[in-house]
Amino acid sequence: MRNEQQFVSLLYDRLDDLRERAEAGVRTSMAQVGTGRQARVERDVSTAEQSAHLAALNAVDSGLCFGRLDLQDGTRHHIGRIGIRRDDEELTPMLIDWRAPVARPFYLATGYEPMGLRRRRHITTQGRTVTALHDEILDLTDRTRTGYEDPDGDAVLLAALGAARTGRMADIVQTIQAEQDRIIRAPRRGILVVEGGPGTGKTAVALHRAAYLLYAHREQLARRAVLIVGPNPAFLGYIGEVLPSLGETGVLLSTLGELFPGVHATGTDTVPAAGIKGGAAMAEVLERVVRDRQKLPETVPEGDYEAEGTVPEPALLIEHEEYGTLRLHREMAYEARDRARATALPHNLARPHFAFRIIDALTEQLADRLGADPYGGPGLLGPDDLAQLGKEIATSAEVHAAIDELWPPLTPEQLVSGFLAEPEPYLPHSDALWIRRTEGPWTPADVPLLDEAAELLGVDDSAERAAAEADRQHRIAYAQGVLDLSQGSKTYEFEDEESEVLAAHDIIDAERMAERHEEADHRSAAERAAADRTWAFGHIIVDEAQELSPMAWRLLMRRCPTRSMTLVGDPAQTADESGAGSWQQILEPYAGDRWTLARLGVNYRTPAEIMEPAAAVRRATCPGFEPPRSVRSTGAGPWYEHTSGDGLDAAVRAAVARETPREGRLAVIVPGELQWELPSLWDLKPVDLTRSVVLLTPREAKGLEFDSVIVVEPSRFGGSDLYVAMTRATQRLGIIHTGDLPEGLRPGTRPGTRER
């Protein structure tokens, strides 16, 4: 162990040196001086890269080195979270990054297929101290013994599985199993679906896959960023330390409700409302809503009479300040609307086409009125007169007000809020009642609607671009003034001789000088992506993908045109009414056959004694259900406690006091509506996973794990929620109920029964 301790100490000394150099590199990059846009861009890129490198070095500390490969040719490689080279002329490897090809035997080699290894060593550290070594002999002809041999090769894995939980997901970089490694290193192209039951490590595999892809495709993904979508904020907090611990900090973690810039969806929907909003039909509904905002005049102005025997035409009256009343006839608006729609542009981008045609038509109308010869001769207005009339119509506030009434500029928020306030024209009456809302915060199910609306509306940024160009010209003019002043301050003592002294204008022109004073953008790619709805990510990872609605899939597919995605889910845990039917049904419209399915079948989290009754619950509704195989057994099955309705709060409070572990975490999982009926637990909201005890609904518990779990009133859980709740436990599970238990947990049919 002494040799490994010396090596680890040297490794941390080298890490400290690299950190100091990275800090110096950041300072140097920020201080770089250059002229022109290219120099500024290079400085910003260099600063961002140096800062990202420093952040990675600072994040990787605990467990820096966790393994060693002893090859049959006598070569040794130490394996760690990042790659570190020695400070010599050759920069020889000191620590091999776990993602490098040479490190792969650490995860795949077996006695049957040793992959050139003599032995594999697991190194356990605490801080900078080596605390344990475990050697696996892969070459059975090797008679050398170190005293650290692990006969089964499972000691490190079982120790990790049995460790107390901290409220934060730990990485599995030291214990990646062969089936997991194959998924982690799968090709980036196309869509990879990772399906597996509770405890199979789906989430951990997806996060390590993100780290691997960032390593293998650094240039592309660092520029486009990787997006990880989780089911709720608590989950994102739970997984938030995994990638930094692996040296990766340039990833955007987000819930679906955070994927529309400027909107933070804090509201909640009823289950039926979320299902209606998430349905595929909503895309067509919103398209109809947009078209209905493109109006025509509907009423005939009062006192407007046509020739006898004709029907007056609906029109919009426009009171022009100089020329009196103009009539915007229905036929005029109809023709302008058809022309605008024929462009196939989004609503806001087609609006100028509508406005230009209306302005032309009103100009023609006014020209006829002003320039008509009373004796039937040719018009009295020339081309210059017509141009002036057109300008006056185009700059008329009254004309633009009329255009706004017929083809209003719209934001996604305006469109969706207007639709939700009055959905009856577009939906069946029962559906409209569920989603009708006139006020309140946005909900996660609203965000895909907002995104769809943004696609249908588009953004007419011509005014912003014009303002930006005007600002740029102003800065150039100012810079030119500075240069002119510097030129005017020259000494003209030798006017007849050509001066050899360079002035400012000899070195830099006004445009380049102005560019130097533009505000630099030091944001990372992930930060810029979070603020840009149209950003195209290099890769997207979705956890609990089986819960996403058709509208949510439309949003995510827009974010990744290349369809480079990793989707993680378990159809058996689907709770949302608009969730997955089948992976093929979801993906075929977007990716055709460019997707593959990988399954994980081993449960590393849930002991067999807990998995058996959880599977029995699932089989009650799905008779053919087969759970993942648990790799361990604790000997402790679930306990059950029956209490009266009035005594439920007291029973839960007593169970929490009894079951809270000295180390680790306890979760109390209750149906959503029941949490407010347990006053003794109110102080556990909002969810804080760093507490020793947390109160959760089944959907808040998705993807999480705890040492102990207490499930309250299982008969009130819906769908797959009970299966999800029971499989969060890694050690102990208790069930408290006031009425009959659901099928699969009733006395005489449940395994591992322990009554209280």
Side-chain angles (χ1 to χ4, degrees):
M1 187 176 289
R2 176 183 296 179
N3 290 339
E4 296 294 6
Q5 181 61 65
Q6 290 176 343
F7 174 78
V8 169
S9 297
L10 289 173
L11 195 61
Y12 275 99
D13 289 343
R14 177 65 175 146
L15 180 63
D16 290 339
D17 179 55
L18 291 173
R19 285 170 174 163
E20 291 178 6
R21 295 188 184 188
E23 289 174 354
V26 171
R27 291 193 296 269
T28 300
S29 296
M30 295 181 68
Q32 285 178 353
V33 177
T35 61
R37 183 182 300 273
Q38 183 62 31
R40 187 181 66 257
V41 169
E42 290 175 356
R43 180 189 68 230
D44 293 344
V45 169
S46 177
T47 301
E49 290 176 346
Q50 294 279 4
S51 298
H53 180 54
L54 177 59
L57 292 175
N58 287 332
V60 177
D61 199 345
S62 179
L64 177 60
C65 173
F66 55 79
R68 193 184 80 189
L69 300 179
D70 293 0
L71 278 66
Q72 292 174 350
D73 63 4
T75 305
R76 287 180 175 177
H77 299 305
H78 280 87
I79 309 300
R81 297 174 181 276
I82 60 173
I84 295 180
R85 295 183 177 274
R86 299 182 185 276
D87 192 12
D88 55 23
E89 290 185 1
E90 292 79 17
L91 292 176
T92 53
M94 187 177 186
L95 185 68
I96 303 295
D97 193 299
W98 67 276
R99 297 164 288 190
V102 71
R104 199 168 190 193
F106 186 79
Y107 302 108
L108 297 183
T110 64
Y112 179 76
E113 183 59 56
M115 300 179 70
L117 296 188
R118 186 166 51 86
R119 70 174 55 219
R120 171 172 47 210
R121 167 167 287 182
H122 294 268
I123 303 172
T124 305
T125 60
Q126 186 172 2
R128 302 188 178 203
T129 302
V130 177
T131 58
L133 302 175
H134 294 87
D135 286 348
E136 295 178 66
I137 300 173
L138 300 175
D139 181 358
L140 299 181
T141 65
D142 184 0
R143 301 301 179 187
T144 304
R145 295 295 179 268
T146 63
Y148 301 112
E149 282 73 23
D150 175 10
D152 299 323
D154 293 332
V156 176
L157 173 63
L158 294 176
L161 298 178
R165 268 49 188 175
T166 65
R168 293 289 182 265
M169 176 180 275
D171 64 72
I172 60 169
V173 65
Q174 189 172 357
T175 58
I176 294 172
Q177 302 301 293
E179 67 169 356
Q180 297 172 331
D181 183 82
R182 283 187 282 271
I183 294 173
I184 289 170
R185 299 174 192 260
R188 171 191 166 207
R189 297 296 179 187
I191 299 175
L192 174 64
V193 178
V194 183
E195 183 180 299
T200 54
K202 301 184 300 297
T203 299
V205 166
L207 294 173
H208 288 69
R209 176 163 168 76
Y212 171 76
L213 292 176
L214 283 163
Y215 173 86
H217 307 279
R218 177 73 62 189
E219 184 176 348
Q220 303 97 310
L221 295 185
R223 184 174 63 252
R224 300 307 314 166
V226 172
L227 170 65
I228 297 179
V229 180
N232 54 61
F235 175 84
L236 295 183
Y238 175 64
I239 68 171
E241 296 178 4
V242 173
L243 285 170
S245 75
L246 299 174
E248 299 298 343
T249 57
V251 175
L252 176 61
L253 275 66
S254 177
T255 64
L256 187 69
E258 297 167 325
L259 285 179
F260 194 87
V263 169
H264 188 60
T266 58
T268 55
D269 276 311
T270 63
V271 172
I276 294 166
K277 291 180 180 180
M282 290 303 297
E284 183 178 339
V285 167
L286 288 177
E287 188 173 354
R288 286 165 48 206
V289 174
V290 171
R291 292 178 71 87
D292 283 353
R293 298 302 187 268
Q294 300 162 1
K295 302 176 182 178
L296 300 174
E298 297 291 343
T299 59
V300 177
E302 188 175 346
D304 214 7
Y305 299 101
E306 301 288 339
E308 185 176 351
T310 63
V311 178
E313 183 182 2
L316 194 62
L317 300 185
I318 303 172
E319 297 299 330
H320 194 278
E321 182 178 0
E322 182 175 353
Y323 298 113
T325 302
L326 301 174
R327 279 181 167 77
L328 202 169
H329 292 290
R330 180 182 178 87
E331 184 63 29
M332 187 187 299
Y334 185 88
E335 191 265 344
R337 189 181 70 174
D338 273 4
R339 287 200 180 188
R341 286 179 174 177
T343 65
L345 292 170
H347 173 87
N348 288 329
L349 299 182
R351 183 177 178 275
H353 295 268
F354 177 81
F356 293 152
R357 184 63 194 123
I358 293 295
I359 290 169
D360 286 347
L362 291 175
T363 301
E364 292 171 8
Q365 181 185 108
L366 184 57
D368 287 343
R369 181 194 303 175
L370 297 179
D373 184 341
Y375 301 104
L380 303 178
L381 299 179
D384 292 342
D385 299 317
L386 291 175
Q388 181 60 31
L389 280 182
K391 182 177 180 181
E392 292 175 2
I393 293 294
T395 56
S396 167
E398 293 79 11
V399 170
H400 281 282
I403 292 172
D404 286 348
E405 183 176 339
L406 298 179
W407 195 296
L410 293 169
T411 67
E413 292 87 343
Q414 289 171 335
L415 186 80
V416 176
S417 62
F419 162 66
L420 294 177
E422 195 175 353
E424 286 80 4
Y426 306 98
L427 295 173
H429 180 68
S430 58
D431 289 354
L433 287 178
W434 277 115
I435 72 168
R436 200 175 202 280
R437 188 182 74 221
T438 56
E439 58 183 18
W442 296 109
T443 71
D446 292 331
V447 168
L449 303 186
L450 290 167
D451 198 72
E452 190 74 25
E455 288 293 305
L456 294 170
L457 296 175
V459 178
D460 182 4
D461 60 352
S462 55
E464 289 81 357
R465 286 187 283 108
E469 178 60 21
D471 180 65
R472 190 177 79 89
Q473 293 299 330
H474 175 75
R475 282 186 279 104
I476 292 174
Y478 179 82
Q480 186 62 58
V482 172
L483 292 175
D484 291 344
L485 286 174
S486 69
Q487 184 178 10
S489 64
K490 287 172 53 178
T491 300
Y492 291 96
E493 184 177 352
F494 307 102
E495 288 184 355
D496 295 334
E497 299 179 21
E498 185 177 351
S499 174
E500 296 181 0
V501 179
L502 293 176
H505 67 275
D506 296 318
I507 302 173
I508 187 172
D509 60 26
E511 185 170 359
R512 294 173 67 193
M513 184 176 181
E515 287 175 351
R516 292 185 59 184
H517 293 279
E518 288 184 24
E519 185 176 349
D521 187 351
H522 294 298
R523 295 177 300 170
S524 67
E527 291 169 331
R528 285 182 281 123
D532 184 356
R533 192 196 70 83
T534 63
W535 189 275
F537 288 91
H539 193 81
I540 292 181
I541 292 175
V542 184
D543 205 296
E544 302 294 345
Q546 78 279 353
E547 300 292 349
L548 295 190
S549 69
M551 291 300 292
W553 283 116
R554 289 174 67 88
L555 179 154
L556 288 178
M557 292 300 173
R558 293 188 194 106
R559 300 295 195 274
C560 192
T562 62
R563 305 293 188 260
S564 177
M565 309 175 83
T566 302
L567 311 179
V568 177
D570 177 14
Q573 299 183 59
T574 304
D576 199 301
E577 288 189 358
S578 60
S582 71
W583 299 121
Q584 182 175 356
Q585 180 183 352
I586 293 168
L587 300 177
E588 204 167 62
Y590 300 104
D593 60 356
R594 291 183 58 244
W595 66 279
T596 56
L597 175 64
R599 288 188 172 91
L600 295 170
V602 178
N603 186 338
Y604 299 98
R605 175 205 301 149
T606 315
E609 293 84 353
I610 294 176
M611 197 64 212
E612 288 179 17
V617 167
R618 194 74 184 104
R619 287 195 190 99
T621 54
C622 299
F625 172 71
E626 285 298 326
R629 177 180 57 84
S630 295
V631 299
R632 64 193 182 98
S633 175
T634 62
W639 56 262
Y640 299 79
E641 180 176 345
H642 182 270
T643 186
S644 66
D646 293 340
L648 182 61
D649 186 60
V652 174
R653 183 170 63 249
V656 168
R658 182 178 66 244
E659 296 293 325
T660 301
R662 292 183 178 180
E663 295 184 14
R665 298 293 183 271
L666 166 69
V668 182
I669 305 180
V670 303
E673 72 279 3
L674 182 60
Q675 57 186 321
W676 308 117
E677 300 176 24
L678 301 173
S680 65
L681 301 182
W682 286 352
D683 63 334
L684 298 181
K685 287 289 186 177
V687 176
D688 181 357
L689 295 178
T690 63
R691 293 178 174 177
S692 57
V693 182
V694 294
L695 176 66
L696 300 166
T697 65
R699 299 193 182 194
E700 290 173 331
K702 278 184 175 290
L704 308 181
E705 60 183 18
F706 304 89
D707 300 85
S708 299
V709 170
I710 299 174
V711 174
V712 182
E713 292 287 54
S715 62
R716 294 173 62 174
F717 283 69
S720 63
D721 287 348
L722 182 55
Y723 175 66
V724 171
M726 294 177 67
T727 54
R728 301 306 98 192
T730 64
Q731 302 293 339
R732 292 167 57 80
L733 172 66
I735 294 175
I736 300 178
H737 59 104
T738 61
D740 293 336
L741 289 168
E743 189 175 349
L745 294 183
R746 292 169 187 165
T749 63
R750 62 195 183 207
T753 301
R754 291 190 295 132
E755 299 290 347
R756 289 188 180 277

